[in-house]
Structures are given as structure tokens and as C-alpha cells.
Amino acid sequence: MEKLRVAIFVSGKGSNMVELLKACQQKHYPATIKLVICDNPKSLALKKTKKFKVPTELVNLNRYQNRNSFEKEILRLLAINKIEFICLAGFMKILSHDFVSKWYGNIINIHPSLLPKYPGLKTHSRALSDNSKITGCSIHFVSSTVDKGPIIAQSKVNISVNDNIESLSAKVLIKEHLLYKEVLKSIAEIKTKY
Ligand code: GRF
């Protein structure tokens, strides 16, 4: 059985990307990362892909006439690398309705809150200022409304009175790393019968 051919889209630190790349190195893991797309030339993720020897493409929106040609280039890269599934991992560009419709059901995102709570940015500072006792992360299918697609899985984190944005973000990231590789494994098993 062939493994599921996956692309990861990143913009930032790339810690989730690294965890997925590591998981996919395991012999019996049912997915394989065939492409990393990064839109940010300053992203740390670009350096981190080097030791994994995974094809990595910088697609910088500023270099394209408009969002349509930017997305066209991404679609071209997905096609030539025969990508079947996309994992967004801290990708900071909002993809168009057309793009998302083409990939619907085959594109997922990880978000650092228990959706539907705190869609968008600054999730940890909002949870702290609400005095929430619990937060976490969610993995959801990407739809054209940001952070509103069907939820696939969530993982909870308790907020302690001593937590600040940094400590909470670190605790949530640990859960993100575990959850993302579990979810991709389950999806890839279903899609490939691997
Ligand atoms: C994560 O918190 C993820 O949930 C959010 O962006 C952050 C990316 O972190 N979408 P990293 O780049 O994977 O370290």
C-alpha cells in the first residue's frame, strides 16, 4: 500500500512541522511528507526542513502580482509533487474560497484553542484574560471561514493561576505536537488502508 502524500504549509517556527516530519520518518506511519510550502522568507521552519531532506518551496506572496497567482503557483507545486493531503501548521495566509473548495476534506489545520472558543489570533491571552480554567488545541478541516471548519479532534490543557502567555503556549504546543501526528495517522490509515 502506498503512503498518503502530504504537504505541510508553514509560516513561522515550524515546531508542528518538525513533529510531523519526524512521525513520517517512521517505517509504518501511513503518511509521507512530500513537500513543505512556506510563505515567509524569515520563517525558522525553512532552516528546520534541511535535515529532513524534504522538498521545500518558498512561495512569497510579495513576489506575485496578486493572491490568485500566488495560489496558482502553490497549486502547481502540489500537482507536480502529486500531493493528496495538506496539513496547515502555523500557516498565516488565508486561503481563498476557490482554493479551499478544491481541497475540501483533504486540508486540515491546527489551532491553539478549544474551538469554537477563540478563533483567530491571540488565543492564549484571551483565555487568560477570561480567567478560563481550561484551554487546549483543535484540529479541524479547513473551510472558507477561518477556524470554523468541522472539528476532528481536540486536546485539553488546564490553566493554572501561575500561567502566562509563554507557559500556556508551551503547554498547549506539547499537546499540539502529539495530537497532530495522531490525527494525521488516523486520516492516512482511512484514506490509504495502509
Ligand atoms: C501553533 O500554535 C498552531 O496551533 C498555530 O500556529 C502555531 C504554529 O506553531 N496555528 P509552530 O510554527 O508549529 O511552532
Side-chain angles (χ1 to χ4, degrees):
M1 259 305 158
E2 294 285 307
K3 294 188 178 199
L4 185 70
R5 297 174 68 89
V6 176
I8 304 176
F9 288 17
V10 279
S11 304
K13 294 193 303 291
S15 69
N16 279 289
M17 175 200 78
V18 166
E19 292 303 313
L20 291 178
L21 283 165
K22 280 195 213 155
C24 288
Q25 282 181 332
Q26 291 163 27
K27 196 170 173 215
H28 296 294
Y29 195 85
T32 173
I33 310 297
K34 288 294 182 190
L35 178 66
V36 172
I37 288 189
C38 178
D39 69 309
N40 172 12
K42 294 187 179 145
S43 168
L44 278 180
L46 282 175
K47 295 199 179 85
K48 292 182 182 169
T49 56
K50 295 223 165 80
K51 74 170 181 193
F52 292 95
K53 298 189 172 66
V54 57
T56 304
E57 299 282 352
L58 173 65
V59 188
N60 182 350
L61 177 59
N62 297 337
R63 306 240 158 173
Y64 293 83
Q65 264 185 345
N66 52 40
R67 199 165 274 265
N68 189 37
S69 44
F70 164 75
E71 286 190 354
K72 239 173 142 178
E73 173 60 4
I74 294 179
L75 288 169
R76 189 186 73 81
L77 292 166
L78 294 171
I80 61 174
N81 287 285
K82 300 190 176 65
I83 298 301
E84 300 169 301
F85 197 81
I86 300 170
C87 291
L88 305 185
F91 186 65
M92 298 306 286
K93 292 283 180 299
I94 295 172
L95 295 162
S96 69
H97 175 76
D98 272 8
F99 188 102
V100 172
S101 305
K102 279 197 185 89
W103 282 88
Y104 191 75
N106 291 305
I107 177 166
I108 62 176
N109 181 42
I110 187 154
H111 182 78
S113 77
L114 296 174
L115 291 169
K117 271 209 137 183
Y118 311 128
L121 300 174
K122 299 196 164 86
T123 55
H124 303 314
S125 66
R126 282 148 73 202
L128 289 167
S129 35
D130 283 354
N131 289 317
S132 302
K133 298 277 172 284
I134 202 157
T135 187
C137 56
S138 308
I139 295 181
H140 63 93
F141 286 108
V142 175
S143 69
S144 353
T145 328
V146 176
D147 299 332
K148 293 274 160 72
I151 294 166
I152 302 165
Q154 295 183 308
S155 187
K156 290 180 186 161
V157 169
N158 290 321
I159 304 179
S160 82
V161 284
N162 300 320
D163 270 322
N164 54 35
I165 294 176
E166 289 69 38
S167 65
L168 197 52
S169 157
K171 288 200 297 197
V172 173
L173 263 182
I174 291 171
K175 295 291 179 111
E176 290 188 34
H177 296 163
L178 294 172
L179 191 66
Y180 219 168
K181 54 190 163 200
E182 278 172 21
V183 166
L184 180 59
K185 182 171 186 271
S186 304
I187 290 176
E189 277 168 357
I190 294 165
K191 286 192 180 283
T192 63
K193 315 264 185 309
Y194 191 83

